[in-house]
Each structure stands twice: as C-alpha cells, then as structure tokens.
Amino acid sequence: MNKASLRIHYLEKRRTLTVDEVREDSNRIADRLVRPLAHKPPYYLHTFLPYNVKNEIDTVLIGETVKAQFPKVQLVVPRVVPGTRLLEHFLFTPDTPLLINRWGLSEPDPHQAPPVDPELLDAVIVPLLVFDQRGYRVGYGGGYYDRFLPVCRPDALKIGVSLFEPVPQIEDIDEYDVRLDYCLTPHKTWHW
C-alpha cells in the first residue's frame, strides 16, 4: 500500500481503540524503550507531546519512565514554527508552560522554555501512524520529521513508537524519507 492509503487506514484503525487500550499499550511501549537506551543513555531525549484526539501513544508517560531509569535525561519537545513546516525544540519539564497551536496540539511556550539545538539530541522518539519491516514510517503527511531528522547528529537514535505491528513494505518511499533505527510496538522491538 502507498502512504495515502495507509494513512487513511491506520487513522481509522487508531480511532477504534479505547482510552484504556491506548494507555495499556503506551505502558508496554514505555517499558520497551528502556532497553534501546540502556547501551548509551541519552542526555537529551526528544519526544513529541501526544495528540489525544487522535489516540496517540502517551509520550508523557514514556518520558516519565525514561527519567525514572535515567535521571539525568533532559526531555525536549517540538514546536511548529508558525507559517512553516519546520520544528523548533525546547527543554520540557513539569513546569514548562504549554500553549495550544492551531491544530489543538500542546507546545512549549517559546518565550518561556529554553531552546535546544537539534545537534545536541542523542535520541528522538518519532511519531507515526504505521511503519514497514524495513524501518520506514508513515506520519500525518506534513513532512515535519522528514525535515527535522536530517539536521540531528548522524548518531542520534531515531525511535518510532507504534500501536500496531508493521506492514511488509510502504510502496512509495522516496529520498526524503528517513529510516528509523528502532520501532517499538506493545509486543515487539524492531531494530534495523
């Protein structure tokens, strides 16, 4: 299947999940994340804030789990630069003031949260709707992470998180698609 058809199918599939199912699967994924990070614990871990309307994985829970295992980890979250398809990145703590953007997503207040250069990031938790057995992903279609990931250090881990197991192959991968290093599902850790 191509990206457009996979996007439609997996958005609908995710909509059918209950809040409890998403919470349970988020817990399983959070527990799985500790292993890939244990080899070289990150100092800066980038994650996205969940968009609960779309039944996204609870990345706040994931961040708490990682911090419990690796107390020195600094969490970083993105903000969409208004009028662009670019992200900027800010330190995230329990006290970080959040604003709601035009899509209803929570983002750090850029006037109050300290910025973080993408070159500092050791690992990035990457949002997705579905991934394939080669490590490529389908997101929401805006290309934000396809622009962001190449400006990270080459050794920064790219870790997808998915509520579903992979499809065999996404047909229309192109030169702008960035392959993941890992993808975590509730039942398996995929590594490339």
Side-chain angles (χ1 to χ4, degrees), residues 1-181:
M1 293 177 79
N2 64 27
K3 293 176 191 173
S5 57
L6 286 166
R7 192 172 289 120
I8 291 166
H9 177 75
Y10 280 89
L11 274 170
E12 183 56 36
K13 192 171 178 177
R14 209 161 64 181
R15 272 189 207 102
T16 66
L17 297 174
T18 67
V19 171
D20 288 339
E21 288 172 319
V22 173
R23 185 180 310 115
E24 287 173 25
D25 285 348
S26 295
N27 275 314
R28 289 184 185 113
I29 290 168
D31 291 342
R32 286 189 171 285
L33 182 59
V34 173
R35 183 169 287 138
L37 298 178
H39 301 292
K40 184 182 173 192
Y43 186 73
Y44 286 107
L45 173 65
H46 187 284
T47 188
F48 59 96
L49 293 174
Y51 190 25
N52 296 329
V53 173
K54 294 196 176 184
N55 270 350
E56 281 191 334
I57 291 165
D58 186 349
T59 53
V60 173
L61 168 71
I62 289 173
E64 290 168 357
T65 302
V66 170
K67 288 218 37 106
Q69 290 290 320
F70 311 107
K72 293 183 180 181
V73 166
Q74 299 293 308
L75 297 176
V76 178
V77 295
R79 173 184 177 265
V80 174
V81 178
T84 75
R85 292 189 180 240
L86 301 174
L87 299 174
E88 53 188 3
H89 316 279
F90 297 89
L91 207 56
F92 180 70
T93 69
D95 299 324
T96 299
L98 299 175
L99 304 173
I100 303 299
N101 71 14
R102 67 183 181 142
W103 299 285
L105 291 165
S106 295
E107 297 179 323
D109 182 340
H111 303 293
Q112 298 186 53
V116 176
D117 188 318
E119 280 284 320
L120 296 175
L121 302 174
D122 300 299
V124 179
I125 297 174
V126 183
L128 56 90
L129 291 166
V130 64
F131 69 107
D132 73 13
Q133 292 177 355
R134 301 175 305 155
Y136 292 100
R137 63 181 266 282
V138 174
Y140 292 111
Y144 293 93
Y145 277 76
D146 293 325
R147 289 175 182 83
F148 158 50
L149 292 173
V151 301
C152 296
R153 291 192 329 261
D155 67 328
L157 290 178
K158 296 169 290 303
I159 304 169
V161 288
S162 177
L163 294 168
F164 308 109
E165 296 303 313
V167 296
Q169 183 173 333
I170 299 165
E171 294 171 359
D172 52 344
I173 294 300
D174 60 39
E175 69 272 17
Y176 301 108
D177 290 296
V178 176
R179 192 167 126 174
L180 301 168
D181 297 306

